[in-house]
């Protein structure tokens, strides 16, 4: 079964840093483009970053550009999100998701269970 | 404000048919990018329901169907069941943002 498992969430003070990880299993991770999506408490889904299978290109939504950094290690079947200068409104559940092949534009066919990031003093 | 607009809530009785709309713009749905739909049960991750406007992933019953026209798309759910209660999200690629955008989500209540 194709699976994604996030880890690394937790409680951090404003201005702090966290590194999220997403471990892939059951499929050839190295050929898939990946994204991070977050969901603030009681809110909808928000895409925050994209990385291609080869790590280029990379894109960010405006609210995290310059503070967050996406990366991957295909040898370790892992996706990462380095989050610096965290703000209270970065509080959310963070999901990694796989961009599907053959699903048209940007369909996301496999999602992790999410990891919770809480930014609070 | 989400880039794609959905009604906050819809409801229907068991067995009825409901539709959820999703309105975008010329940089996403109107640019002929595909629309996808996800269902999210409380406390769980989203799960794909419809992809590429009107295709269902393996295992999704044909009670769920999608359509697209112009800058809008719709998800129809027929034969409503109690366990259809969930949040539903539309999603499309946006060329001005270089990434996927989502609707704000629609809470479906089965009366």
């Amino acid at each position: 079964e194709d699976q994604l498992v996030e880890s690394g969430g937790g409680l951090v003070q404003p201005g702090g840093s966290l590194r999220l990880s997403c471990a892939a299993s059951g499929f050839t991770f190295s050929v898939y483009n990946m994204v991070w999506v977050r969901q603030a408490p009681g809110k909808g889904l928000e895409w925050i970053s994209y990385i291609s299978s080869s790590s280029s290109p990379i894109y960010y939504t405006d609210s995290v550009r310059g503070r967050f950094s996406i990366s991957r290690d295909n040898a370790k079947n892992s996706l990462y999100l380095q989050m610096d200068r965290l703000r209270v409104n970065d509080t959310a559940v963070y999901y990694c998701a796989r961009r599907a092949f053959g699903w048209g534009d940007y369909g996301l066919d496999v999602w992790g269970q999410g990891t919770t990031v809480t930014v609070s003093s | 404000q989400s880039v794609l607009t959905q009604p906050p809530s819809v409801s229907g009785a068991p067995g009825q048919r409901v539709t959820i709309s999703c309105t975008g713009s010329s940089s996403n749905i109107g640019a002929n990018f595909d629309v996808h739909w996800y269902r999210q049960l409380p406390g769980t991750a989203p799960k794909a329901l419809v992809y590429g406007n009107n295709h269902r992933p393996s295992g999704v019953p044909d009670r769920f169907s999608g359509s697209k026209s112009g800058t809008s798309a719709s998800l129809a759910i027929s034969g409503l069941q109690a366990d259809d209660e969930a949040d539903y999200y539309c999603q499309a690629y946006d060329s001005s943002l270089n990434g996927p955008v989502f609707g704000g989500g629609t809470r479906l209540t089965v009366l």
Side-chain angles (χ1 to χ4, degrees):
Chain A
E1 179 188 4
D2 300 358
Q3 194 172 11
L4 297 170
V5 178
E6 302 94 337
S7 61
L11 174 63
V12 62
Q13 292 188 337
S17 298
L18 273 179
R19 188 193 196 207
L20 305 184
S21 299
C22 170
S25 61
F27 64 97
T28 305
F29 175 73
S30 62
V31 303
Y32 283 91
N33 303 325
M34 302 292 295
V35 302
W36 285 98
V37 174
R38 69 183 177 184
Q39 186 171 34
K43 302 296 184 181
L45 302 169
E46 178 190 23
W47 165 73
I48 55 173
S49 188
Y50 161 93
I51 186 168
S52 75
S53 59
S54 63
S55 297
S56 178
I58 284 174
Y59 300 116
Y60 301 96
T61 194
D62 286 348
S63 62
V64 308
R65 188 177 295 113
R67 299 187 300 122
F68 290 11
S69 177
I70 192 172
S71 63
R72 64 191 296 161
D73 185 335
N74 288 339
K76 294 183 178 180
N77 293 326
S78 292
L79 176 72
Y80 306 102
L81 185 68
Q82 176 66 40
M83 303 187 296
D84 298 322
R85 291 185 283 147
L86 282 161
R87 304 167 179 168
V88 172
N89 61 7
D90 291 319
T91 295
V93 176
Y94 285 73
Y95 296 101
C96 60
R98 185 179 82 177
R99 183 178 173 182
F101 285 129
W103 273 30
D105 307 302
Y106 247 109
L108 303 171
D109 63 343
V110 179
W111 294 65
Q113 86 289 351
T115 188
T116 300
V117 173
T118 303
V119 185
S120 174
S121 55
Chain B
Q1 285 293 72
S2 301
V3 175
L4 305 180
T5 301
Q6 298 179 234
S9 64
V10 297
S11 62
Q16 284 190 333
R17 179 180 186 270
V18 297
T19 60
I20 299 172
S21 62
C22 174
T23 302
S25 67
S26 59
S27 62
N28 41 70
I29 299 176
N32 207 31
F33 292 118
D34 294 318
V35 178
H36 317 286
W37 291 89
Y38 304 89
R39 178 165 74 173
Q40 186 178 36
L41 298 171
T44 69
K47 180 182 176 183
L49 208 55
V50 168
Y51 70 90
N53 304 316
N54 54 15
H55 303 276
R56 290 180 302 277
S58 174
V60 175
D62 59 7
R63 300 189 299 108
F64 297 90
S65 62
S67 63
K68 189 185 88 167
S69 178
T71 58
S72 296
S74 291
L75 173 71
I77 308 172
S78 60
L80 267 182
Q81 302 175 359
D83 59 7
D84 290 332
E85 284 204 340
D87 294 325
Y88 293 80
Y89 293 90
C90 61
Q91 178 241 310
Y93 177 75
D94 191 290
S95 59
S96 65
L97 299 175
N98 277 322
V101 289
F102 292 90
T106 298
R107 173 69 55 88
L108 169 62
T109 300
V110 180
L111 302 171

Short mmCIF file of all heavy atoms in Angstrom, two decimals, chain B residues 46-104:
data_model
loop_
_atom_site.label_atom_id
_atom_site.label_comp_id
_atom_site.label_asym_id
_atom_site.label_seq_id
_atom_site.Cartn_x
_atom_site.Cartn_y
_atom_site.Cartn_z
N PRO B 46 -7.65 14.42 4.08
CA PRO B 46 -8.50 14.40 2.89
C PRO B 46 -8.27 13.15 2.06
O PRO B 46 -7.18 12.59 2.05
CB PRO B 46 -8.06 15.65 2.12
CG PRO B 46 -7.41 16.52 3.14
CD PRO B 46 -6.76 15.59 4.11
N LYS B 47 -9.31 12.75 1.36
CA LYS B 47 -9.22 11.58 0.49
C LYS B 47 -9.84 11.94 -0.85
O LYS B 47 -10.91 12.54 -0.90
CB LYS B 47 -9.95 10.39 1.10
CG LYS B 47 -9.91 9.13 0.26
CD LYS B 47 -10.71 8.02 0.91
CE LYS B 47 -10.76 6.78 0.02
NZ LYS B 47 -11.59 5.71 0.61
N ALA B 48 -9.17 11.59 -1.94
CA ALA B 48 -9.66 11.94 -3.26
C ALA B 48 -10.96 11.22 -3.58
O ALA B 48 -11.10 10.02 -3.34
CB ALA B 48 -8.60 11.60 -4.31
N LEU B 49 -11.88 12.00 -4.14
CA LEU B 49 -13.22 11.51 -4.47
C LEU B 49 -13.46 11.52 -5.97
O LEU B 49 -14.05 10.61 -6.55
CB LEU B 49 -14.23 12.40 -3.78
CG LEU B 49 -15.59 11.87 -3.38
CD1 LEU B 49 -15.47 10.65 -2.49
CD2 LEU B 49 -16.37 12.97 -2.65
N VAL B 50 -13.04 12.60 -6.61
CA VAL B 50 -13.15 12.78 -8.05
C VAL B 50 -11.86 13.47 -8.51
O VAL B 50 -11.40 14.41 -7.87
CB VAL B 50 -14.36 13.65 -8.44
CG1 VAL B 50 -14.31 14.08 -9.91
CG2 VAL B 50 -15.67 12.92 -8.15
N TYR B 51 -11.30 12.98 -9.62
CA TYR B 51 -10.13 13.63 -10.18
C TYR B 51 -10.36 13.93 -11.66
O TYR B 51 -11.22 13.31 -12.30
CB TYR B 51 -8.87 12.77 -9.99
CG TYR B 51 -8.83 11.51 -10.84
CD1 TYR B 51 -8.26 11.51 -12.10
CD2 TYR B 51 -9.36 10.32 -10.34
CE1 TYR B 51 -8.23 10.35 -12.87
CE2 TYR B 51 -9.32 9.15 -11.10
CZ TYR B 51 -8.76 9.18 -12.36
OH TYR B 51 -8.72 8.04 -13.12
N GLY B 52 -9.59 14.87 -12.18
CA GLY B 52 -9.72 15.20 -13.60
C GLY B 52 -11.14 15.54 -14.00
O GLY B 52 -11.62 15.10 -15.04
N ASN B 53 -11.81 16.32 -13.17
CA ASN B 53 -13.17 16.82 -13.41
C ASN B 53 -14.27 15.80 -13.18
O ASN B 53 -15.29 16.11 -12.57
CB ASN B 53 -13.31 17.38 -14.85
CG ASN B 53 -12.30 18.45 -15.15
OD1 ASN B 53 -12.07 19.34 -14.34
ND2 ASN B 53 -11.67 18.36 -16.32
N ASN B 54 -14.10 14.59 -13.70
CA ASN B 54 -15.24 13.66 -13.66
C ASN B 54 -14.83 12.19 -13.59
O ASN B 54 -15.59 11.31 -14.00
CB ASN B 54 -16.14 13.87 -14.88
CG ASN B 54 -15.36 13.77 -16.19
OD1 ASN B 54 -14.23 13.29 -16.22
ND2 ASN B 54 -15.96 14.21 -17.27
N HIS B 55 -13.65 11.92 -13.05
CA HIS B 55 -13.20 10.54 -12.93
C HIS B 55 -13.14 10.14 -11.46
O HIS B 55 -12.80 10.95 -10.60
CB HIS B 55 -11.82 10.37 -13.56
CG HIS B 55 -11.77 10.76 -15.00
ND1 HIS B 55 -12.14 9.92 -16.03
CD2 HIS B 55 -11.42 11.93 -15.60
CE1 HIS B 55 -12.00 10.54 -17.18
NE2 HIS B 55 -11.56 11.76 -16.95
N ARG B 56 -13.47 8.92 -11.18
CA ARG B 56 -13.44 8.43 -9.80
C ARG B 56 -12.27 7.49 -9.59
O ARG B 56 -12.05 6.56 -10.38
CB ARG B 56 -14.74 7.68 -9.45
CG ARG B 56 -15.96 8.56 -9.34
CD ARG B 56 -17.19 7.71 -8.98
NE ARG B 56 -17.43 6.68 -9.97
CZ ARG B 56 -18.08 6.89 -11.10
NH1 ARG B 56 -18.55 8.09 -11.39
NH2 ARG B 56 -18.26 5.89 -11.96
N PRO B 57 -11.53 7.69 -8.49
CA PRO B 57 -10.49 6.72 -8.15
C PRO B 57 -11.13 5.36 -7.85
O PRO B 57 -12.31 5.27 -7.52
CB PRO B 57 -9.86 7.31 -6.88
CG PRO B 57 -10.25 8.75 -6.88
CD PRO B 57 -11.59 8.80 -7.55
N SER B 58 -10.31 4.34 -7.95
CA SER B 58 -10.78 3.00 -7.65
C SER B 58 -11.38 2.96 -6.24
O SER B 58 -10.79 3.48 -5.29
CB SER B 58 -9.60 2.02 -7.76
OG SER B 58 -9.97 0.74 -7.34
N GLY B 59 -12.55 2.36 -6.13
CA GLY B 59 -13.19 2.20 -4.83
C GLY B 59 -14.23 3.26 -4.50
O GLY B 59 -15.00 3.08 -3.55
N VAL B 60 -14.26 4.34 -5.26
CA VAL B 60 -15.27 5.38 -5.02
C VAL B 60 -16.53 5.03 -5.80
O VAL B 60 -16.48 4.82 -7.01
CB VAL B 60 -14.75 6.77 -5.44
CG1 VAL B 60 -15.86 7.82 -5.32
CG2 VAL B 60 -13.55 7.17 -4.60
N PRO B 61 -17.66 4.95 -5.11
CA PRO B 61 -18.89 4.53 -5.81
C PRO B 61 -19.38 5.56 -6.81
O PRO B 61 -19.06 6.75 -6.72
CB PRO B 61 -19.90 4.36 -4.65
CG PRO B 61 -19.35 5.15 -3.53
CD PRO B 61 -17.86 5.15 -3.67
N ASP B 62 -20.18 5.09 -7.77
CA ASP B 62 -20.65 5.97 -8.83
C ASP B 62 -21.76 6.91 -8.35
O ASP B 62 -22.34 7.64 -9.17
CB ASP B 62 -21.09 5.18 -10.05
CG ASP B 62 -22.20 4.19 -9.76
OD1 ASP B 62 -22.73 4.21 -8.63
OD2 ASP B 62 -22.54 3.39 -10.66
N ARG B 63 -22.07 6.90 -7.07
CA ARG B 63 -22.98 7.91 -6.51
C ARG B 63 -22.33 9.30 -6.56
O ARG B 63 -23.03 10.31 -6.46
CB ARG B 63 -23.32 7.59 -5.06
CG ARG B 63 -23.99 6.27 -4.82
CD ARG B 63 -24.48 6.13 -3.39
NE ARG B 63 -23.42 6.19 -2.39
CZ ARG B 63 -23.22 7.22 -1.56
NH1 ARG B 63 -24.00 8.29 -1.62
NH2 ARG B 63 -22.26 7.16 -0.66
N PHE B 64 -21.01 9.32 -6.69
CA PHE B 64 -20.27 10.58 -6.71
C PHE B 64 -19.89 10.89 -8.16
O PHE B 64 -19.31 10.05 -8.85
CB PHE B 64 -19.01 10.48 -5.86
CG PHE B 64 -19.28 10.23 -4.41
CD1 PHE B 64 -19.37 8.94 -3.91
CD2 PHE B 64 -19.47 11.30 -3.54
CE1 PHE B 64 -19.63 8.72 -2.57
CE2 PHE B 64 -19.73 11.09 -2.20
CZ PHE B 64 -19.82 9.79 -1.71
N SER B 65 -20.20 12.11 -8.60
CA SER B 65 -19.86 12.50 -9.96
C SER B 65 -19.49 13.97 -10.01
O SER B 65 -20.01 14.78 -9.24
CB SER B 65 -21.03 12.22 -10.92
OG SER B 65 -22.16 12.98 -10.56
N GLY B 66 -18.57 14.29 -10.92
CA GLY B 66 -18.12 15.67 -11.06
C GLY B 66 -18.37 16.19 -12.45
O GLY B 66 -18.47 15.43 -13.41
N SER B 67 -18.48 17.51 -12.53
CA SER B 67 -18.63 18.17 -13.82
C SER B 67 -17.95 19.53 -13.76
O SER B 67 -17.67 20.05 -12.68
CB SER B 67 -20.11 18.32 -14.19
OG SER B 67 -20.77 19.16 -13.25
N LYS B 68 -17.69 20.08 -14.94
CA LYS B 68 -17.03 21.38 -15.02
C LYS B 68 -17.55 22.13 -16.23
O LYS B 68 -17.77 21.54 -17.30
CB LYS B 68 -15.51 21.21 -15.13
CG LYS B 68 -14.72 22.51 -15.01
CD LYS B 68 -13.24 22.28 -15.24
CE LYS B 68 -12.90 22.38 -16.71
NZ LYS B 68 -11.43 22.47 -16.95
N SER B 69 -17.72 23.44 -16.06
CA SER B 69 -18.14 24.29 -17.16
C SER B 69 -17.65 25.71 -16.91
O SER B 69 -17.93 26.28 -15.85
CB SER B 69 -19.66 24.28 -17.31
OG SER B 69 -20.07 25.14 -18.36
N GLY B 70 -16.92 26.25 -17.87
CA GLY B 70 -16.42 27.61 -17.72
C GLY B 70 -15.51 27.76 -16.53
O GLY B 70 -14.51 27.04 -16.40
N THR B 71 -15.85 28.66 -15.63
CA THR B 71 -15.03 28.90 -14.44
C THR B 71 -15.59 28.20 -13.21
O THR B 71 -15.19 28.51 -12.08
CB THR B 71 -14.91 30.40 -14.15
OG1 THR B 71 -16.22 30.95 -13.97
CG2 THR B 71 -14.19 31.15 -15.26
N SER B 72 -16.51 27.25 -13.40
CA SER B 72 -17.13 26.57 -12.27
C SER B 72 -17.11 25.06 -12.44
O SER B 72 -16.97 24.55 -13.54
CB SER B 72 -18.58 27.03 -12.10
OG SER B 72 -18.65 28.40 -11.77
N ALA B 73 -17.25 24.39 -11.30
CA ALA B 73 -17.34 22.93 -11.28
C ALA B 73 -18.35 22.54 -10.22
O ALA B 73 -18.71 23.34 -9.35
CB ALA B 73 -15.98 22.32 -10.97
N SER B 74 -18.82 21.31 -10.31
CA SER B 74 -19.79 20.81 -9.34
C SER B 74 -19.51 19.37 -8.99
O SER B 74 -19.03 18.60 -9.83
CB SER B 74 -21.22 20.92 -9.89
OG SER B 74 -21.64 22.24 -10.02
N LEU B 75 -19.82 19.04 -7.76
CA LEU B 75 -19.80 17.65 -7.29
C LEU B 75 -21.23 17.27 -6.96
O LEU B 75 -21.91 17.99 -6.21
CB LEU B 75 -18.92 17.52 -6.05
CG LEU B 75 -18.94 16.15 -5.37
CD1 LEU B 75 -18.21 15.12 -6.24
CD2 LEU B 75 -18.32 16.21 -3.98
N ALA B 76 -21.70 16.18 -7.53
CA ALA B 76 -23.03 15.68 -7.23
C ALA B 76 -22.92 14.38 -6.44
O ALA B 76 -22.09 13.52 -6.75
CB ALA B 76 -23.82 15.44 -8.52
N ILE B 77 -23.74 14.29 -5.42
CA ILE B 77 -23.79 13.07 -4.61
C ILE B 77 -25.24 12.59 -4.61
O ILE B 77 -26.14 13.31 -4.16
CB ILE B 77 -23.34 13.32 -3.17
CG1 ILE B 77 -21.98 14.02 -3.14
CG2 ILE B 77 -23.29 12.00 -2.39
CD1 ILE B 77 -21.55 14.48 -1.76
N SER B 78 -25.47 11.41 -5.15
CA SER B 78 -26.83 10.88 -5.20
C SER B 78 -26.97 9.77 -4.17
O SER B 78 -25.98 9.24 -3.66
CB SER B 78 -27.13 10.35 -6.60
OG SER B 78 -26.23 9.33 -6.94
N GLY B 79 -28.22 9.43 -3.87
CA GLY B 79 -28.47 8.38 -2.90
C GLY B 79 -27.78 8.64 -1.57
O GLY B 79 -27.08 7.78 -1.05
N LEU B 80 -28.00 9.84 -1.02
CA LEU B 80 -27.31 10.26 0.20
C LEU B 80 -27.40 9.21 1.30
O LEU B 80 -28.47 8.63 1.54
CB LEU B 80 -27.89 11.57 0.71
CG LEU B 80 -27.25 12.87 0.27
CD1 LEU B 80 -27.94 14.05 0.92
CD2 LEU B 80 -25.75 12.90 0.55
N GLN B 81 -26.27 9.02 1.96
CA GLN B 81 -26.19 8.10 3.09
C GLN B 81 -25.67 8.86 4.30
O GLN B 81 -24.98 9.86 4.17
CB GLN B 81 -25.28 6.93 2.76
CG GLN B 81 -25.70 6.12 1.55
CD GLN B 81 -24.72 5.04 1.18
OE1 GLN B 81 -23.68 4.87 1.82
NE2 GLN B 81 -25.05 4.28 0.13
N ALA B 82 -25.99 8.35 5.48
CA ALA B 82 -25.57 9.02 6.71
C ALA B 82 -24.06 9.22 6.78
O ALA B 82 -23.58 10.25 7.25
CB ALA B 82 -26.07 8.23 7.92
N ASP B 83 -23.31 8.24 6.29
CA ASP B 83 -21.85 8.37 6.38
C ASP B 83 -21.25 9.22 5.28
O ASP B 83 -20.02 9.29 5.16
CB ASP B 83 -21.18 7.00 6.45
CG ASP B 83 -21.49 6.13 5.26
OD1 ASP B 83 -22.13 6.63 4.31
OD2 ASP B 83 -21.10 4.96 5.27
N ASP B 84 -22.10 9.90 4.51
CA ASP B 84 -21.60 10.91 3.57
C ASP B 84 -21.34 12.23 4.27
O ASP B 84 -20.77 13.15 3.68
CB ASP B 84 -22.59 11.14 2.42
CG ASP B 84 -22.67 9.96 1.46
OD1 ASP B 84 -21.67 9.23 1.33
OD2 ASP B 84 -23.74 9.77 0.85
N GLU B 85 -21.78 12.33 5.53
CA GLU B 85 -21.53 13.56 6.28
C GLU B 85 -20.03 13.77 6.43
O GLU B 85 -19.32 12.94 6.99
CB GLU B 85 -22.18 13.51 7.67
CG GLU B 85 -23.68 13.71 7.66
CD GLU B 85 -24.20 14.23 8.99
OE1 GLU B 85 -23.49 14.07 10.01
OE2 GLU B 85 -25.32 14.77 9.02
N ALA B 86 -19.57 14.89 5.90
CA ALA B 86 -18.14 15.19 5.87
C ALA B 86 -17.95 16.58 5.29
O ALA B 86 -18.91 17.25 4.91
CB ALA B 86 -17.39 14.16 5.01
N ASP B 87 -16.70 17.00 5.23
CA ASP B 87 -16.33 18.23 4.53
C ASP B 87 -15.82 17.87 3.14
O ASP B 87 -15.03 16.92 2.99
CB ASP B 87 -15.26 19.00 5.29
CG ASP B 87 -15.76 19.53 6.62
OD1 ASP B 87 -16.95 19.91 6.71
OD2 ASP B 87 -14.96 19.56 7.58
N TYR B 88 -16.23 18.64 2.15
CA TYR B 88 -15.86 18.38 0.77
C TYR B 88 -15.12 19.60 0.22
O TYR B 88 -15.57 20.73 0.40
CB TYR B 88 -17.10 18.08 -0.07
CG TYR B 88 -17.77 16.78 0.30
CD1 TYR B 88 -18.60 16.69 1.41
CD2 TYR B 88 -17.53 15.62 -0.43
CE1 TYR B 88 -19.18 15.49 1.78
CE2 TYR B 88 -18.11 14.41 -0.08
CZ TYR B 88 -18.94 14.36 1.03
OH TYR B 88 -19.51 13.16 1.39
N TYR B 89 -13.99 19.33 -0.44
CA TYR B 89 -13.16 20.41 -0.98
C TYR B 89 -12.92 20.21 -2.47
O TYR B 89 -12.63 19.10 -2.92
CB TYR B 89 -11.79 20.42 -0.29
CG TYR B 89 -11.82 20.80 1.17
CD1 TYR B 89 -11.97 19.83 2.16
CD2 TYR B 89 -11.69 22.14 1.55
CE1 TYR B 89 -12.01 20.19 3.50
CE2 TYR B 89 -11.71 22.50 2.89
CZ TYR B 89 -11.87 21.52 3.86
OH TYR B 89 -11.89 21.87 5.18
N CYS B 90 -13.02 21.31 -3.21
CA CYS B 90 -12.59 21.28 -4.60
C CYS B 90 -11.17 21.82 -4.68
O CYS B 90 -10.70 22.53 -3.78
CB CYS B 90 -13.53 22.09 -5.50
SG CYS B 90 -13.67 23.85 -5.11
N GLN B 91 -10.49 21.47 -5.75
CA GLN B 91 -9.09 21.89 -5.94
C GLN B 91 -8.76 21.98 -7.41
O GLN B 91 -9.24 21.16 -8.21
CB GLN B 91 -8.15 20.90 -5.25
CG GLN B 91 -6.67 21.20 -5.43
CD GLN B 91 -5.94 20.09 -6.15
OE1 GLN B 91 -6.04 18.92 -5.81
NE2 GLN B 91 -5.18 20.46 -7.19
N ALA B 92 -7.98 22.96 -7.78
CA ALA B 92 -7.51 23.11 -9.15
C ALA B 92 -6.12 23.73 -9.11
O ALA B 92 -5.69 24.26 -8.08
CB ALA B 92 -8.46 23.97 -9.97
N TYR B 93 -5.43 23.66 -10.21
CA TYR B 93 -4.14 24.33 -10.33
C TYR B 93 -4.39 25.80 -10.69
O TYR B 93 -5.32 26.11 -11.45
CB TYR B 93 -3.30 23.66 -11.42
CG TYR B 93 -1.98 24.33 -11.67
CD1 TYR B 93 -0.92 24.18 -10.79
CD2 TYR B 93 -1.78 25.14 -12.79
CE1 TYR B 93 0.30 24.78 -11.02
CE2 TYR B 93 -0.57 25.74 -13.03
CZ TYR B 93 0.47 25.57 -12.14
OH TYR B 93 1.67 26.19 -12.37
N ASP B 94 -3.56 26.68 -10.14
CA ASP B 94 -3.67 28.11 -10.45
C ASP B 94 -2.37 28.59 -11.08
O ASP B 94 -1.30 28.50 -10.46
CB ASP B 94 -3.99 28.91 -9.19
CG ASP B 94 -4.39 30.34 -9.51
OD1 ASP B 94 -3.49 31.11 -9.92
OD2 ASP B 94 -5.57 30.70 -9.37
N SER B 95 -2.46 29.10 -12.28
CA SER B 95 -1.25 29.48 -13.01
C SER B 95 -0.58 30.73 -12.45
O SER B 95 0.61 30.94 -12.63
CB SER B 95 -1.58 29.69 -14.49
OG SER B 95 -2.56 30.70 -14.64
N SER B 96 -1.34 31.56 -11.75
CA SER B 96 -0.73 32.77 -11.19
C SER B 96 -0.01 32.48 -9.88
O SER B 96 0.85 33.25 -9.47
CB SER B 96 -1.79 33.84 -10.98
OG SER B 96 -2.72 33.43 -10.00
N LEU B 97 -0.33 31.38 -9.24
CA LEU B 97 0.29 31.01 -7.97
C LEU B 97 1.29 29.87 -8.13
O LEU B 97 2.01 29.54 -7.20
CB LEU B 97 -0.78 30.60 -6.96
CG LEU B 97 -1.82 31.66 -6.60
CD1 LEU B 97 -2.89 31.09 -5.68
CD2 LEU B 97 -1.14 32.85 -5.94
N ASN B 98 1.33 29.26 -9.31
CA ASN B 98 2.22 28.11 -9.56
C ASN B 98 1.99 26.98 -8.58
O ASN B 98 2.94 26.30 -8.16
CB ASN B 98 3.69 28.54 -9.49
CG ASN B 98 4.17 29.16 -10.79
OD1 ASN B 98 3.80 28.71 -11.87
ND2 ASN B 98 4.97 30.19 -10.69
N GLY B 99 0.75 26.79 -8.20
CA GLY B 99 0.45 25.71 -7.28
C GLY B 99 -1.03 25.42 -7.24
O GLY B 99 -1.82 26.13 -7.86
N PRO B 100 -1.42 24.38 -6.52
CA PRO B 100 -2.84 24.04 -6.40
C PRO B 100 -3.54 25.00 -5.45
O PRO B 100 -2.94 25.49 -4.50
CB PRO B 100 -2.81 22.62 -5.84
CG PRO B 100 -1.54 22.53 -5.08
CD PRO B 100 -0.56 23.42 -5.79
N VAL B 101 -4.79 25.25 -5.72
CA VAL B 101 -5.63 26.06 -4.84
C VAL B 101 -6.86 25.25 -4.47
O VAL B 101 -7.31 24.40 -5.25
CB VAL B 101 -6.04 27.39 -5.49
CG1 VAL B 101 -4.84 28.32 -5.59
CG2 VAL B 101 -6.67 27.18 -6.86
N PHE B 102 -7.38 25.52 -3.29
CA PHE B 102 -8.53 24.79 -2.78
C PHE B 102 -9.71 25.72 -2.56
O PHE B 102 -9.55 26.92 -2.36
CB PHE B 102 -8.18 24.13 -1.44
CG PHE B 102 -7.17 23.03 -1.53
CD1 PHE B 102 -5.82 23.31 -1.41
CD2 PHE B 102 -7.57 21.72 -1.72
CE1 PHE B 102 -4.88 22.30 -1.48
CE2 PHE B 102 -6.64 20.70 -1.80
CZ PHE B 102 -5.29 20.99 -1.68
N GLY B 103 -10.88 25.12 -2.57
CA GLY B 103 -12.05 25.84 -2.10
C GLY B 103 -12.05 25.86 -0.59
O GLY B 103 -11.27 25.16 0.06
N GLY B 104 -12.93 26.67 -0.01
CA GLY B 104 -13.00 26.80 1.43
C GLY B 104 -13.63 25.61 2.14
O GLY B 104 -13.61 25.53 3.37
#
